[in-house]
Each structure stands twice: as C-alpha cells, then as structure tokens.
Amino acid sequence: MASSESNRGWHVVASEGPPDCGGVGHYTQLFTDELRRHGHQAIVYFPLNGAPGSAIDGYVQIPNLRHAFGVRRLARRLDESPAPRRLLLQYVPHGWGWHGMNLGLCFWILWRAMVRRDHISVMFHEVAMPFVKSPMRHNVQAIVQRVMAMVLLLAASKVYVSTPAFSPILRKWSFWRHVPDWLPVPSNIPKVDDPCGVAELRATLAGPHQRSRLVGHFGTFGGAAGALTREVIVQLLREDPSLVALLLGRGASTFALDLKANGLEKEISRCVVRENLDERAMSLHLQACDVLVQPYPDGITTRRSTAMAALANGVALVTNRGELSESLWSCDCPVASVSGPDVSLLVDATCTVLHDEAWRDAQRAEGKRLYEREWELSRTVQRFLSTCQ
C-alpha cells in the first residue's frame, strides 16, 4: 500500500449499528479503533436502524440504507473525500434492510466501483441464507442474497471472510477472480485482570455454601442456538444439583421466563441472569465460570465472538463442531468440542470438564495462549493491513 493511499484513510461502512448495539456494529468499532492505533485514518458510517444514540467522534450516523435518502446521505459524505476513496464494507445481508434483499444497494456499490472508481473491500461476516423446505419465502431471500453477494464480488477489489468455510463458495461465485483472505473475529470482551474481583463475584454467584459449580452461557438465547442451549442447560441442572447456570447476554431474561413457563421452576431457581453488562463486568462474570457451554447448530467457527470471548478471558469452553467448523477445532485444540450439536454429547463433555480440574485449568491457560497468538484484535488488523500492501 503506497503511503499516499494510506494517508487517504478508510471509509468503513457497517451494515449494522450503532456501535453500542453489539454485533457487527460493535465489531466495527473495535476493528476501526485498532486500525487507528496502527496509524491509519478511518471514518465509520453506521445506520440508525431506528436505534437511539448520538454521534461519536470518527463515527457518522446515516439514515437506514434501505431508503434512498440514506444512500444519498452516505454518497454525499463519501464524495467530500478526494477520489479514489477506499471503502471497507462490514457485510451482513440482513443488516441492510428490505428483509435481507437490498439488491439496489449492492448495485449502487458496484456503480461506485465502476464509475466513481472507489476501491471496494468487503468483509463477509455472513454470505447468504441456506435453502430450506419451508417456508418458501426464505428461499426467495436465499436466491436474492446470492445475487447480492455476486454483485459485491464484482465490485470488490479485496474480499475477506470471517471463516474459511465461506471461501470456496465466494471463489466460485466470483468465477475464481477472488481468493478471500481470512480475518478471524476477535473477542468483543477484553479480559480484565482483577483476580480479587473475580473471586468476590464467584463467591456471590456460588451461593452460601460456596460449593456450587458455575456453568455459563453467553449469547442472545434466540433461534436454533437458543433452543439447543435450553436443552443442554436443563439437562445439566437436572443431573447435577450442585450446579448453577449463569446466563449472560441480551435475551437471558426472556430465556429464563420461557423455562418457568414450561414448568421448570426447580431448574430456574438455580439460574442467574445477567443482561446489559458493560465490558468489565462481563469479563469478570465470564472468568467466574468453571466452564462456558456454547452450542452452535452449524458448528463453532472463528466468527463466533462468544466463543472467542471465552478463550480471550481464559475460560474452559465446551462446544460442538459442524458443517461450518474450521479444521483447527478437530486438531489438538484446547477446547472440548464434540462431533455435532448433540445434547447428550454436550452434556457429557461438560460434566467431564467439570470433574477434571487439572485438565480444565490446562485448557483455560492453553486457550488463552492460542487466542493471543492467533485471534487477538491486533493480529486481525495486522492481517488486514498486510493484504493491502
């Protein structure tokens, strides 16, 4: 990357936001802050999407990109900078409105590349919905999202993916013009070094006898992953009366109420719910857990920020492999991963980790070292910058 190009900086367009809403918006904020720490200028544009919030230095709120005036507002802001501009799109198809079918916006980006001569880079956090037997309307979305991806591939100078599992299909859809670079998604919860704070919190969570073991889950508790998590947590609570389940993240309260509504009062009495924690508090809660159970219907991948949060904070992790899992999870990896989203396998693996303290402590330490070596945010940004040379 020439120095003149570096001085122009980056225009980072997030398909979800604002940053304080989590998800891709939060990832974009962390990524861009690290990019600036490496000496690069960057402006982030994030859609309001009806969410409240105020403008942050270096972050520009724009109207929802499903509306023409939102696109015009973004175009005016981009055109204030000298050409050719460098756009980095943090892409999730559902984040751009129109029920995940905003094909017009993708063609506008292609127009920016072909007419305005902007340099377009696309980070695919997701690619497209899978085809399903029902409802059929989901297949319409799946088709349109594939066309959207093809248009963006045509516009892009560089392509990045959050997991290598996306690379083969994107190479095919770009007619082998692109070989996507892998940028693992780092943890959005940095570790807080406060052993005394963790010990005090654990004493509070473990109850008066201090003999309880803490099994945590960090997520949004929705969809297929939420349903799988529910079965695992309930079975663990039934099998081990000394267990306390720590439910972390937005949706935890609704998840707990659903358990109660289904006659699981006994199990819910040993659930602790924590929503809307700040980064420091979340880190302490994660570290207080003996093990974090993170089931994923399509398997663990390096795009799972919740799994990365466990490793970054030195927490033993139980999860499952699946169709999207990278090969590294099947190798000598310090994570207890079972062969699929099977409730009994996940429960057995969790019990094994809980009853082997020496192995659990080794897993925590090795997982933390692996994260720092391969997936820490600074590593992700260094990989990104190395591809721009």
Side-chain angles (χ1 to χ4, degrees), residues 83 85 108-118:
R85 289 148 289 267
W108 176 77
I109 292 168
L110 177 61
W111 178 84
R112 295 285 315 186
M114 298 183 67
V115 177
R116 292 291 191 182
R117 298 298 177 185
D118 292 338

Side-chain angles (χ1 to χ4, degrees), residues 263-282:
L264 299 170
E265 289 86 356
K266 187 176 180 181
E267 287 77 10
I268 198 65
S269 67
R270 289 187 284 128
C271 290
V272 178
V273 173
R274 293 290 185 271
E275 288 190 327
N276 302 316
L277 297 176
D278 60 26
E279 289 182 1
R280 175 183 174 80
M282 181 62 78

Side-chain angles (χ1 to χ4, degrees), residues 110-137:
L110 177 61
W111 178 84
R112 295 285 315 186
M114 298 183 67
V115 177
R116 292 291 191 182
R117 298 298 177 185
D118 292 338
H119 298 297
I120 309 294
S121 299
V122 184
M123 169 64 169
F124 283 92
H125 292 269
E126 297 176 8
V127 176
M129 292 176 60
F131 289 107
V132 295
K133 293 182 178 179
S134 65
M136 289 305 296
R137 67 176 182 278

Side-chain angles (χ1 to χ4, degrees), residues 45-190:
Y45 306 86
F46 61 86
L48 287 174
N49 290 338
S54 57
I56 309 170
D57 184 33
Y59 297 84
V60 179
Q61 291 181 330
I62 54 176
N64 196 304
L65 292 174
R66 67 172 176 262
H67 301 301
F69 64 85
V71 177
R72 287 197 296 269
R73 180 76 61 84
L74 175 59
R76 284 198 297 268
R77 292 302 300 254
L78 292 174
D79 290 340
E80 291 173 0
S81 301
R85 289 148 289 267
R86 297 191 301 173
L87 274 66
L88 172 59
L89 308 179
Q90 302 290 347
Y91 178 71
V92 178
H94 281 89
W96 282 355
W98 287 102
H99 303 287
M101 297 184 291
N102 198 341
L103 189 56
L105 182 60
C106 296
F107 277 111
W108 176 77
I109 292 168
L110 177 61
W111 178 84
R112 295 285 315 186
M114 298 183 67
V115 177
R116 292 291 191 182
R117 298 298 177 185
D118 292 338
H119 298 297
I120 309 294
S121 299
V122 184
M123 169 64 169
F124 283 92
H125 292 269
E126 297 176 8
V127 176
M129 292 176 60
F131 289 107
V132 295
K133 293 182 178 179
S134 65
M136 289 305 296
R137 67 176 182 278
H138 287 179
N139 290 330
V140 175
Q141 291 174 300
I143 292 170
V144 174
Q145 287 177 5
R146 282 157 174 74
V147 178
M148 290 168 64
M150 291 177 187
V151 173
L152 290 178
L153 289 168
L154 188 60
S157 303
K158 289 292 298 181
V159 174
Y160 303 94
V161 289
S162 56
T163 169
F166 294 157
S167 294
I169 192 64
L170 291 177
R171 290 185 66 186
K172 180 179 179 180
W173 290 351
S174 70
F175 299 98
W176 290 271
R177 186 169 72 93
H178 289 295
V179 178
D181 289 293
W182 175 31
L183 296 181
V185 174
S187 168
N188 55 3
I189 307 295

Side-chain angles (χ1 to χ4, degrees), residues 84-361:
R85 289 148 289 267
R86 297 191 301 173
L87 274 66
L88 172 59
L89 308 179
Q90 302 290 347
Y91 178 71
V92 178
H94 281 89
W96 282 355
W98 287 102
H99 303 287
M101 297 184 291
N102 198 341
L103 189 56
L105 182 60
C106 296
F107 277 111
W108 176 77
I109 292 168
L110 177 61
W111 178 84
R112 295 285 315 186
M114 298 183 67
V115 177
R116 292 291 191 182
R117 298 298 177 185
D118 292 338
H119 298 297
I120 309 294
S121 299
V122 184
M123 169 64 169
F124 283 92
H125 292 269
E126 297 176 8
V127 176
M129 292 176 60
F131 289 107
V132 295
K133 293 182 178 179
S134 65
M136 289 305 296
R137 67 176 182 278
H138 287 179
N139 290 330
V140 175
Q141 291 174 300
I143 292 170
V144 174
Q145 287 177 5
R146 282 157 174 74
V147 178
M148 290 168 64
M150 291 177 187
V151 173
L152 290 178
L153 289 168
L154 188 60
S157 303
K158 289 292 298 181
V159 174
Y160 303 94
V161 289
S162 56
T163 169
F166 294 157
S167 294
I169 192 64
L170 291 177
R171 290 185 66 186
K172 180 179 179 180
W173 290 351
S174 70
F175 299 98
W176 290 271
R177 186 169 72 93
H178 289 295
V179 178
D181 289 293
W182 175 31
L183 296 181
V185 174
S187 168
N188 55 3
I189 307 295
K191 183 180 180 183
V192 173
D193 289 315
D194 184 1
C196 291
V198 173
E200 291 175 5
L201 177 61
R202 179 177 174 81
T204 301
L205 296 172
H209 302 296
Q210 303 298 307
R211 291 195 298 269
S212 296
R213 288 176 291 186
L214 299 180
V215 172
H217 176 77
F218 176 30
T220 59
F221 299 89
L228 181 59
T229 298
R230 177 184 180 277
E231 294 185 53
V232 174
I233 293 295
V234 168
Q235 189 164 327
L236 283 168
L237 290 171
R238 284 175 173 170
E239 291 191 4
D240 189 344
S242 72
L243 210 67
V244 171
L246 182 55
L247 309 178
L248 302 170
R250 288 180 295 171
S253 295
T254 303
F255 181 85
L257 289 173
D258 180 65
L259 293 181
K260 187 175 182 179
N262 284 277
L264 299 170
E265 289 86 356
K266 187 176 180 181
E267 287 77 10
I268 198 65
S269 67
R270 289 187 284 128
C271 290
V272 178
V273 173
R274 293 290 185 271
E275 288 190 327
N276 302 316
L277 297 176
D278 60 26
E279 289 182 1
R280 175 183 174 80
M282 181 62 78
S283 175
L284 297 181
H285 278 75
L286 289 172
Q287 292 177 63
C289 294
D290 290 297
V291 62
L292 208 67
V293 182
Q294 299 293 137
Y296 303 106
D298 52 7
I300 185 174
T301 75
T302 54
R303 63 188 283 267
R304 303 291 189 182
S305 59
T306 48
M308 295 297 106
L311 298 176
N313 283 275
V315 185
L317 176 63
V318 173
T319 186
N320 64 278
R321 302 183 298 278
E323 58 182 331
L324 293 183
S325 297
E326 300 92 355
S327 60
L328 65 92
W329 302 108
S330 301
C331 302
D332 188 19
C333 184
V335 169
S337 64
V338 300
S339 59
D342 183 282
V343 174
S344 61
L345 291 177
L346 286 162
V347 170
D348 289 345
T350 304
C351 293
T352 299
V353 174
L354 285 172
H355 287 90
D356 192 338
E357 185 175 355
W359 188 86
R360 186 170 69 246
D361 290 342

